[in-house]
Amino acid sequence: RFPIKSRFDADEVNGYLDNLFSELVSAATSPTITAVGNFAKQLPTVIIGIIFCLISAYFFVADKKALSDLWNRSMPEAITKRYDMVKRSLSRSLGGYIKAQVIIEFWIFLIIAAGLVILKVDYVWIIALGIAILDLLPILGTGTALVPWSIVSFIRQDYTMAVGLLILWGVSQLVRQL
């Protein structure tokens, strides 16, 4: 490839770099063009699948009464009663869970916003909303944003912000557990 010489030859280095970049560009563009071509080939199939999905969903919604009547006529009464009981129970518990999560997230949002106002952070409402949404996700939480932010603040020697963010994280976790 590039021989090591004691004398520096600018034209040789220029030619070497030119060959290197042209090889890199040709190697990168070939798979990219192939991928774009494959995507373009699959696009009509995806669009048709989406259209059929939407049409079938519409027909299920439009014929809900007829499907419900067919279900009730074809299933034994014991199964129908058990199905109705399970359906009511699931809708109540799922509705209660969603209601509880919305209330918790509202309070987390207010706590985060109040803490960020005290810490004099810009764009408090947007940041608080983003952190509350992170807290809504199962594995992630307020610590996903506040702990790294605190570490960066500590590295930047902004100790007040670092400690304040850790306290804010602790308070939000305490409120969530309560």
Side-chain angles (χ1 to χ4, degrees):
R1 289 267 192 179
F2 188 66
I4 299 175
K5 294 183 177 180
S6 61
R7 193 166 125 334
F8 180 74
D9 187 7
D11 290 333
E12 192 173 327
V13 171
N14 189 23
Y16 170 73
L17 290 176
D18 187 39
N19 287 338
L20 179 68
F21 285 127
S22 66
E23 287 176 14
L24 284 173
V25 168
S26 67
T29 57
S30 176
T32 306
I33 292 172
T34 304
V36 169
N38 289 338
F39 176 74
K41 288 178 192 174
Q42 297 297 325
L43 195 59
T45 307
V46 170
I47 291 173
I48 290 171
I50 290 171
I51 290 171
F52 273 99
C53 180
L54 291 173
I55 289 171
S56 66
Y58 167 76
F59 283 129
F60 275 116
V61 170
D63 290 340
K64 182 180 181 212
K65 176 94 172 100
L67 290 172
S68 178
D69 290 342
L70 176 66
W71 170 268
N72 290 332
R73 280 193 317 262
S74 60
M75 286 295 156
E77 188 176 337
I79 292 177
T80 304
K81 284 183 180 180
R82 177 84 37 124
Y83 171 76
D84 288 339
M85 181 185 68
V86 169
K87 188 170 105 176
R88 277 193 313 272
S89 175
L90 279 175
S91 67
R92 257 190 263 133
S93 37
L94 188 62
Y97 174 76
I98 290 173
K99 182 179 175 184
Q101 285 299 316
V102 167
I103 291 169
I104 289 170
E105 293 313 316
F106 176 73
W107 283 107
I108 294 293
F109 169 75
L110 290 179
I111 289 168
I112 297 293
L116 293 178
V117 166
I118 292 170
L119 292 171
K120 297 179 177 131
V121 174
D122 294 332
Y123 308 108
V124 170
W125 303 110
I126 295 171
I127 295 171
L129 181 64
I131 293 173
I133 290 171
L134 272 177
D135 190 49
L136 183 63
L137 300 172
I139 294 174
L140 306 175
T142 55
T144 305
L146 294 178
V147 171
W149 188 0
S150 174
I151 292 169
V152 168
S153 296
F154 184 78
I155 291 170
R156 295 177 67 199
Q157 297 178 350
D158 189 359
Y159 301 117
T160 306
M161 178 68 79
V163 171
L165 291 170
L166 288 176
I167 291 171
L168 186 58
W169 175 58
V171 169
S172 69
Q173 291 306 303
L174 182 66
V175 167
R176 176 170 263 300
Q177 294 305 316
L178 291 175

